[in-house]
Amino acid sequence: MKRASSFIFAASLFLLLLDCCSGSFVGICYGRNADDLPTPDKVAKLVQLHEIKYLRIYDSNIQVLKAFANTGVELMIGVPNSDLLPFSQFQTNADTWLKNSILPYYPAAKITYITVGAEVTESSNNVSALVVPAMNNVLTALKKAGLHKKIKVSSTHSLSVLSRSFPPSAGAFNSNHAHFLKPLLEFLAENQSPFMIDIYPYYAYRDSPNKVSLDYALFESSSEVIDPNTGLLYTNMFDAQVDAIYFALTALNFRTIKVMVTETGWPSKGSPKEKAATPDNAQTYNTNLIRHVINDTGTPAKPGEELDVYIFSLFNENRKPGLESERNWGLFYPDETKVYSLDFTGKDAAVDLTSGANGTRTSNGTTWCIASSKASQADLQNAIDWACGSGNVDCTAIQPSQPCFEPDNLVSHASYAFNSYYQQNGASDVACSFGGSGVIVNQDPTYDNCIYMRTGINTTVTSNTTAISSTSTSTPTPTASSSSGRQTFTWISSSLLLTFISLV
């Protein structure tokens, strides 16, 4: 009986690790609006050579699906805006498309997402009303094929879907899109699909250089922007824009929808007026972005929350209209040489260079434990009660009128309690478990006068914050996996698997 109980415990814990420790990923967008690109077969080899594990394409091109068959690269494919009308009108159109364009190549082509429409609010044609009916028909087609749990359906949006994005806590959807957004958000919530957003700090800086700091846009800022409504600190525009989406979703009571960034990046070349479009700036932005994402830092409003991101784009595309920058977002030239050096795997993404989500304080080798935003309120409350009781944590700081009471919510209070217990007990993985509610991060969660202790250190200091100019937003014309985190996970899960096997 004891052996059976141990077996069940080991199996349960192993499955828990599989579920909670995968981490965020960075993928790449494979745009093909060019007449000089290598063939899909060559692109597939290039992608594998650089260990890119996630790829977004904007249609369901058969040659691309064939090229990426059996590569292990996870694909996000798309239904273009031009196909929304037939897909929304008749279920048979979606059924036929799935039967002829997808099923013959699946699962060899590892398709995990289908985007139905792209930035429809930016389209000159009024097609937004077609998106949700088309999504429903695509989902129905997937259900008929038994794939609706393996392939998620969503639609991508530009940041202009918001009427306000600063401060982040005031994020709100544009009321002009209410007729389209309400049923879309209901679809996403019901089917556990992510809200897909395209975010470009580059445009905010380019259009308002006197209001937006270049360092803030590049994840390089030594200053902090404070949200006056929440007290949250922002050291980069990317986090601020992502949190604006989260707050906009919360305002409409869609608290469970995950955000996914389906495009972001920085151009390496531009017109004379686009002085920030340089290889150095593009390299800085994308390098810092990868470091930020793979460390699972989350954002100030969602600390520790997984955030999957796709960088735009794999190649420079010479047929894109507009300013010079539009044709120079690529990481590679069409001859497959690098535009600039970039580590797609994140293996060289040192912790001490990570841009902070909640502040600018970092320390080599130091880690903290915070509460997962995915944990239930009941689990967090139980964990706080245990940490502040049997766990012998001094929780005075999260009492009313004390430095860490605000923001007054369970995630914030649990994060302080979790970290105190974690540091007092050797900063080990086990000390940050809390039944799966704890998350280890590399960024100091300290804010204002609320100081998160480190191992052997528990001092209180006053931190000054300096707000820089508010952000503006624009959108363009329409992978790396977490190395260190997944290596740790692999070690832990492998050890547990050995234990699991020994118990059988």
Side-chain angles (χ1 to χ4, degrees):
M1 187 69 181
K2 182 178 180 182
R3 185 182 181 86
S5 299
S6 299
F7 175 87
I8 294 171
F9 171 76
S12 301
L13 188 55
F14 182 66
L15 292 173
L16 178 63
L17 280 169
L18 286 175
D19 181 61
C20 71
C21 300
S22 58
S24 306
F25 70 73
V26 177
I28 310 294
C29 299
Y30 173 22
R32 306 192 314 280
N33 193 358
D35 57 18
D36 57 356
L37 298 183
T39 63
D41 286 340
K42 291 182 178 179
V43 174
K45 292 179 181 178
L46 179 71
V47 166
Q48 292 179 88
L49 177 65
H50 292 282
E51 301 182 64
I52 297 168
K53 303 297 183 183
Y54 305 87
L55 201 73
R56 177 189 175 190
I57 63 174
Y58 293 79
D59 53 20
S60 55
N61 183 276
I62 291 175
Q63 297 306 315
V64 175
L65 296 185
K66 286 182 177 179
F68 281 92
N70 301 311
T71 61
V73 176
E74 294 191 16
L75 298 176
M76 176 185 292
I77 66 172
V79 175
N81 292 350
S82 57
D83 290 340
L84 289 176
L85 181 59
F87 272 66
S88 65
Q89 285 182 322
F90 301 105
Q91 179 64 53
T92 53
N93 290 333
D95 293 343
T96 301
W97 170 77
L98 188 72
K99 178 181 178 181
N100 296 337
S101 299
I102 306 302
L103 294 184
Y105 314 104
Y106 181 90
K110 197 174 181 181
I111 299 165
T112 53
Y113 290 97
I114 297 175
T115 60
V116 180
E119 298 189 355
V120 292
T121 58
E122 298 290 315
S123 174
S124 56
N125 301 320
N126 186 18
V127 296
S128 61
L130 305 176
V131 173
V132 175
M135 290 171 66
N136 278 315
N137 286 343
V138 169
L139 179 63
T140 298
L142 289 171
K143 286 181 177 179
K144 291 178 180 179
L147 296 177
H148 59 291
K149 293 184 178 180
K150 297 181 179 180
I151 301 176
K152 293 294 184 181
V153 178
S154 190
S155 184
T156 67
H157 312 277
S158 70
L159 203 61
S160 66
V161 75
L162 298 181
S163 60
R164 185 174 182 180
S165 62
F166 187 84
S169 60
F173 288 111
N174 192 323
S175 59
N176 293 333
H177 307 314
H179 67 286
F180 151 65
L181 283 172
K182 186 177 185 297
L184 181 137
L185 295 177
E186 290 173 346
F187 176 98
L188 299 182
E190 181 179 350
N191 296 288
Q192 298 181 324
S193 293
F195 185 90
M196 296 178 169
I197 188 72
D198 299 341
I199 288 179
Y200 287 94
Y202 166 76
Y203 285 107
Y205 172 75
R206 186 195 69 180
D207 297 340
S208 303
N210 295 325
K211 295 182 179 180
V212 178
S213 160
L214 178 60
D215 285 346
Y216 186 62
L218 291 173
F219 293 88
E220 294 276 287
S221 180
S222 59
S223 301
E224 298 165 324
V225 176
I226 187 169
D227 186 316
N229 300 323
T230 61
L232 296 174
L233 303 177
Y234 291 86
T235 59
N236 63 81
M237 183 177 292
F238 178 87
D239 279 352
Q241 293 179 339
V242 170
D243 275 355
I245 295 293
Y246 272 121
F247 279 108
L249 289 169
T250 299
L252 296 181
N253 204 31
F254 290 97
R255 301 173 183 272
T256 62
I257 297 177
K258 178 182 176 180
V259 172
M260 174 184 283
V261 178
T262 40
E263 285 185 15
T264 191
W266 199 280
S268 61
K269 183 180 179 182
S271 63
K273 293 183 179 180
E274 298 178 293
K275 296 181 179 179
T278 67
D280 284 346
N281 285 342
Q283 181 184 45
T284 297
Y285 179 84
N286 286 326
T287 297
N288 286 338
L289 172 72
I290 292 173
R291 290 168 174 162
H292 188 56
V293 171
I294 68 168
N295 279 316
D296 286 324
T297 313
T299 65
K302 295 285 186 176
E305 179 85 1
E306 290 181 10
L307 180 66
D308 300 331
V309 174
Y310 288 80
I311 295 175
F312 187 87
S313 180
L314 191 60
F315 295 105
N316 286 338
E317 300 172 77
N318 65 0
R319 295 182 62 183
K320 294 192 70 176
L323 296 175
E324 183 69 17
S325 62
E326 289 295 328
R327 293 174 287 283
N328 289 279
W329 290 84
L331 305 175
F332 293 92
Y333 294 110
D335 65 1
E336 302 181 45
T337 59
K338 292 182 180 181
V339 177
Y340 48 87
S341 180
L342 188 66
D343 173 35
F344 300 104
T345 68
K347 292 177 181 177
D348 297 328
V351 171
D352 60 310
L353 294 177
T354 303
S355 293
N358 300 339
T360 58
R361 312 165 191 84
T362 58
S363 178
N364 289 343
T366 303
T367 55
W368 292 261
C369 177
I370 62 174
S372 169
S373 58
K374 293 182 178 181
S376 70
Q377 297 290 291
D379 286 344
L380 290 178
Q381 186 61 65
N382 289 336
I384 291 173
D385 292 342
W386 182 88
C388 298
S390 302
N392 295 318
V393 170
D394 181 0
C395 293
T396 304
I398 56 176
Q399 300 304 312
S401 302
Q402 296 302 310
C404 302
F405 180 72
E406 296 291 344
D408 181 16
N409 60 64
L410 284 176
V411 171
S412 178
H413 291 177
S415 292
Y416 181 87
F418 286 10
N419 183 69
S420 297
Y421 180 83
Y422 174 72
Q423 305 297 351
Q424 291 171 9
N425 289 274
S428 67
D429 291 346
V430 174
C432 189
S433 174
F434 295 99
S437 297
V439 178
I440 296 175
V441 297
N442 305 107
Q443 184 70 33
D444 188 350
T446 292
Y447 61 93
D448 294 340
N449 293 330
C450 179
I451 310 303
Y452 277 57
M453 68 184 297
R454 307 181 186 188
T455 302
I457 302 175
N458 189 17
T459 58
T460 302
V461 297
T462 302
S463 60
N464 297 320
T465 61
T466 305
I468 62 174
S469 303
S470 64
T471 65
S472 63
T473 61
S474 297
T475 60
T477 310
T479 106
S481 58
S482 175
S483 175
S484 59
R486 295 188 188 206
Q487 286 172 1
T488 301
F489 164 67
T490 301
W491 181 85
I492 295 172
S493 58
S494 297
S495 299
L496 184 56
L497 182 57
L498 290 174
T499 303
F500 173 82
I501 293 172
S502 69
L503 291 170
V504 176

